Amino acid sequence: MKKILVIGGNGQLGNCIRKIAPDFELDYEFVFTDSQTLDITDEDQINNFFNNEKPDFCINASAYTAVDLAEKEKEKAFAVNADGVGYLAQACQDNKAILIHVSTDYVFDGETNLCYSEDDFTNPIGVYGESKLKGEELALEFNPKTVILRTSWLYSEFNKNFVKTMLNLFSQKEELGIVGDQFGQPTNANDLAEAIMNIIDAPQKTYGVFHFSNYPETTWFEFAQKIAEFSKSSIKLNALTTEQYPTPAKRPKRSTMCLDKIEDIYKVETKHWENSLEECIDILAK
């Protein structure tokens, strides 16, 4: 039986993988870690852990994701999102394991009216994106058997995310302003978890960078409108410009990603974001 090591097992994506793990237990043994059981910024700890567990696959679902705070905590962001990924990749290489590493649309600057393909020029405009791009580079450098999955606007019924924040604010406020001029693709982390298991299950592996999200593009404002609609909230929402809602870290204006590659190579089915959002809100309402 092959073993799957899930780094960041208590995070949003980690919990979604944990949820579907029983469906795969005839073929795979899952080992879930968190920052308490495995510190990915400690190379010796990683090497010892890999030597003991000897995984066949490593899913890196951990990350430093505080986009604004990263502007002040650059060293910490790079330690987790870059150096730690390099250590994991090297450990995978040493143990002949396949690494599946989750990255972000924030590796792009967003200065385009088109969707980004995997081969398009990267140009992050903040520390978070810079640290994630460095992690991609180290992963591919240290372990050729790496699948990088760039995703965007991740949410689920677990942990803290935009959907749960909106639902909480809807219950407290009568009116709310949401940025309406930044475009991207909301992604249900449950769909990403299924895509990852689809890749692990695939008899033939193609390595490198892939994009995965729900589709099509939307804005944060339109995303919030649908959250209100599906949750039957009477909140009044107002669209704001980026200038009206300044943040410490710049966000890409349009970081929409092309999904053709993962659909063609791994036959992964992508879902309309509104359908996946409605499923999530139904779960949260129970």
Side-chain angles (χ1 to χ4, degrees), residues 31-248:
V31 176
F32 292 89
T33 73
D34 57 23
S35 57
Q36 305 303 311
T37 53
L38 180 61
D39 177 3
I40 69 165
T41 66
D42 186 330
E43 187 174 15
D44 290 336
Q45 199 179 125
I46 286 174
N47 290 335
N48 290 335
F49 198 92
F50 269 72
N51 289 337
N52 289 331
E53 292 291 343
K54 303 197 181 315
D56 299 283
F57 300 91
C58 173
I59 302 170
N60 183 26
S62 70
Y64 179 105
T65 57
V67 176
D68 288 323
L69 198 56
E71 297 298 311
K72 288 183 178 177
E73 297 185 348
K74 183 172 183 177
E75 194 173 306
K76 189 173 180 182
F78 269 82
V80 176
N81 293 343
D83 299 340
V85 179
Y87 301 150
L88 285 174
Q90 186 63 63
C92 285
Q93 168 79 344
D94 294 342
N95 289 271
K96 297 181 173 57
I98 292 170
L99 174 62
I100 297 176
H101 172 62
V102 179
S103 191
T104 174
D105 58 326
Y106 277 42
V107 299
F108 299 113
D109 60 20
E111 297 295 326
T112 181
N113 290 322
L114 305 171
C115 68
Y116 285 103
S117 77
E118 288 80 356
D119 298 325
D120 279 337
F121 181 68
T122 52
N123 184 36
I125 55 176
V127 170
Y128 169 69
E130 289 171 3
S131 66
K132 292 295 287 183
L133 179 59
K134 185 63 178 177
E136 290 185 10
E137 293 166 353
L138 292 173
L140 293 169
E141 178 185 344
F142 292 131
N143 185 18
K145 290 189 173 180
T146 292
V147 175
I148 290 170
L149 289 173
R150 292 179 184 148
T151 192
S152 58
W153 298 18
L154 213 59
Y155 69 89
S156 69
E157 67 267 36
F158 302 108
N159 302 56
K160 185 181 176 184
N161 56 67
F162 184 78
V163 172
K164 291 176 75 176
T165 298
M166 287 298 105
L167 291 172
N168 186 42
L169 289 172
F170 293 173
S171 67
Q172 298 174 16
K173 296 179 178 290
E174 294 180 357
E175 194 170 344
L176 200 59
I178 306 290
V179 173
D181 59 356
Q182 293 172 14
F183 294 81
Q185 293 140 301
T187 306
N188 189 322
N190 289 285
D191 295 336
L192 179 57
E194 289 179 12
I196 288 171
M197 290 310 301
N198 191 305
I199 289 168
I200 287 175
D201 255 355
Q204 298 293 325
K205 300 287 189 290
T206 300
Y207 304 106
V209 180
F210 292 83
H211 291 167
F212 178 84
S213 69
N214 295 139
Y215 72 88
E217 72 171 16
T218 189
T219 65
W220 290 110
F221 174 70
E222 290 166 346
F223 189 18
Q225 281 184 311
K226 280 296 173 184
I227 297 169
E229 179 186 326
F230 292 148
S231 63
K232 298 179 172 58
S233 170
S234 58
I235 185 97
K236 183 188 178 191
L237 296 173
N238 303 307
L240 304 177
T241 64
T242 298
E243 287 70 27
Q244 288 174 302
Y245 190 79
T247 54

